[in-house]
Amino acid sequence: MKTRVGILFGGRSGEHDVSCVSARHVAAALDADRYTAVPIGITRTGLWVLPACSQAALSGGRLEIPEGRFVAEGAPLGIFGGFSGEAAGQTPDLGLDVVFPVLHGPFGEDGTVQGMLELTDCPYVGSGVLGSAVGMDKALMKTVFTAAGIPQADYLVIRRRDWDLRRGDCVERACALGFPAFTKPANLGSSVGISRCADRAELEAGIAEAFGYDRKVVVEENIAGREIECAVLGNDQPEASVCGEIVAARAFYDYEAKYSDSASQTIAPAELPESVSETIRALSLKGFEAVEAAGLARVDFFYEEPGRGVLINEINTMPGFTEISMFPKLWAKSGLSYPELLDRLIALAFERYSWRTG
């Protein structure tokens, strides 16, 4: 019997398009002799699309998920066997063995979907509720990294209520980080909502823009260093990949540089002193364990030399799986092909599920 893998993709976050591309590559790379891919799309408005339409969205090369056949409101649990009998209504039980939530950003990578899957007693790829939530919230993530003794850049967290009541004071405190500075929503990824601010006016505008995505904003000092990434794979005995380097074609590695600008480069393995690579790999594992991550993560760093050396930037508990994504590239350079990587991730999902069920 083939393992039925539910592939969740799309979603309500600003990373909807990236999720669709990631899911397309995951579905194509699954070993057809071992797995049956069951795509389940989520529209930008939160409607759950049944597999027939979801498959058409993936195979047709469209990033959009049609607002057509969908699971009725309140019924997504039925897809995973959470409802039975008359309570299920017309919601199909797809008989899934495991779910791969290829969802990036809020309403997917932040513990919300993970909580639903826990309730339905369904194995799934990646971190649990806690690890996903901490990994999504950059402000809380940084607090955890500080507690774990992991070096990082200086930063400031601004909450919406403070911005509304004491805007001038918030800007003054942010200016103390120096220029240029970076503003970003606390809960988002793929560089959505991030601004590089060269002066006070741009800083105030960048903070305001970030508040358009979240009620909590992070302002970070600029680090004039190389951008290095490391991939982690495992549960209670995680392993770190070789390191890779991002060379952005723009002022910083924004959304366009990541997904549209062919001039941006990813170099793997990165040309680093062995001692620096080992430090990054060790800190990747330390950060992974600090946020209670599981299954997989990509950990991002700055390497400032001369300067402060290695500084952690953030952890991504569901990194991209597109053809240009660093996570699968790093594992390929570490000796694990894309299909083999998916095998490992699914095995890790079942391993983690066995801990919960005894």
Side-chain angles (χ1 to χ4, degrees):
M1 294 290 291
K2 294 183 182 180
T3 299
R4 291 177 62 80
V5 182
I7 302 176
L8 279 178
F9 68 100
R12 294 166 56 191
S13 85
E15 298 178 81
H16 178 99
D17 289 350
V18 180
S19 172
C20 292
V21 179
S22 289
R24 185 179 305 141
H25 285 83
V26 169
L30 284 173
D31 184 347
D33 292 330
R34 299 180 58 190
Y35 307 105
T36 298
V38 184
I40 305 166
I42 305 174
T43 70
R44 296 177 190 276
T45 58
L47 302 179
W48 290 60
V49 182
L50 297 177
C53 281
S54 295
Q55 182 61 57
L58 285 183
S59 59
R62 298 190 304 275
L63 296 182
E64 293 291 336
I65 301 173
E67 302 270 355
R69 298 167 58 196
F70 57 88
V71 177
E73 182 179 356
L77 287 173
I79 287 180
F80 308 105
F83 298 145
S84 60
E86 293 182 1
Q90 299 300 310
T91 304
D93 181 347
L94 302 179
L96 303 177
D97 297 305
V98 63
V99 170
F100 198 145
V102 192
L103 296 164
H104 307 309
F107 310 109
E109 192 180 351
D110 59 353
T112 50
V113 165
Q114 289 74 16
M116 183 194 72
L117 294 171
E118 295 278 355
L119 287 172
T120 59
D121 197 33
C122 184
Y124 59 93
V125 171
S127 294
V129 175
L130 178 60
S132 299
V134 176
M136 187 78 260
D137 189 315
K138 294 179 178 64
L140 184 56
M141 176 202 308
K142 289 178 179 295
T143 300
V144 171
F145 287 160
T146 297
I150 304 174
Q152 56 188 325
D154 291 336
Y155 68 95
L156 172 70
V157 177
I158 303 174
R159 288 171 170 77
R160 183 79 208 199
R161 64 177 181 273
D162 295 324
W163 182 248
D164 291 339
L165 297 174
R166 294 176 288 277
R167 179 171 301 198
D169 179 58
C170 291
V171 174
E172 285 294 331
R173 291 162 56 211
C175 285
L177 293 171
F179 293 103
F182 289 87
T183 57
K184 58 182 67 174
N187 292 275
L188 208 55
S190 292
S191 297
V192 176
I194 294 182
S195 299
R196 183 182 186 274
C197 310
D199 54 35
R200 183 188 179 99
E202 289 186 1
L203 181 63
E204 186 166 357
I207 295 171
E209 180 183 354
F211 272 124
Y213 295 93
D214 199 354
R215 294 187 62 80
K216 191 163 51 176
V217 168
V218 176
V219 185
E220 296 175 346
E221 68 164 323
N222 178 60
I223 301 297
R226 298 162 65 183
E227 296 188 40
I228 309 296
E229 299 183 348
C230 185
V232 178
L233 187 65
N235 287 327
D236 62 346
Q237 294 182 308
E239 305 170 63
S241 72
V242 300
C243 299
E245 181 171 5
I246 301 295
V247 181
R250 296 167 179 252
F252 71 100
Y253 202 42
D254 62 5
Y255 187 93
E256 293 300 320
K258 285 182 177 179
Y259 302 112
S260 301
D261 195 333
S262 60
S264 295
Q265 300 179 55
T266 57
I267 302 170
E271 295 182 2
L272 294 167
E274 185 59 30
S275 60
V276 174
S277 293
E278 287 305 312
T279 296
I280 291 172
R281 285 160 53 86
L283 288 178
S284 295
L285 297 177
K286 190 172 184 179
F288 185 86
E289 293 172 345
V291 303
E292 294 285 346
L296 74 159
R298 194 195 71 238
V299 192
D300 302 344
F301 295 87
F302 297 113
Y303 175 48
E304 189 181 49
E305 186 63 34
R308 285 173 286 180
V310 176
L311 300 173
I312 197 168
N313 181 23
E314 64 184 38
I315 187 169
N316 294 270
T317 57
M318 187 53 70
F321 278 84
T322 73
E323 75 277 8
I324 61 172
S325 295
M326 188 64 102
F327 183 83
K329 278 188 175 183
L330 290 175
W331 281 114
K333 293 295 184 180
S334 301
L336 202 61
S337 69
Y338 199 132
E340 291 171 330
L341 176 60
L342 297 181
D343 289 342
R344 285 285 302 278
L345 289 171
I346 291 170
L348 288 166
F350 284 123
E351 177 186 76
R352 186 170 172 276
Y353 177 76
S354 71
W355 298 345
R356 303 202 311 269
T357 60

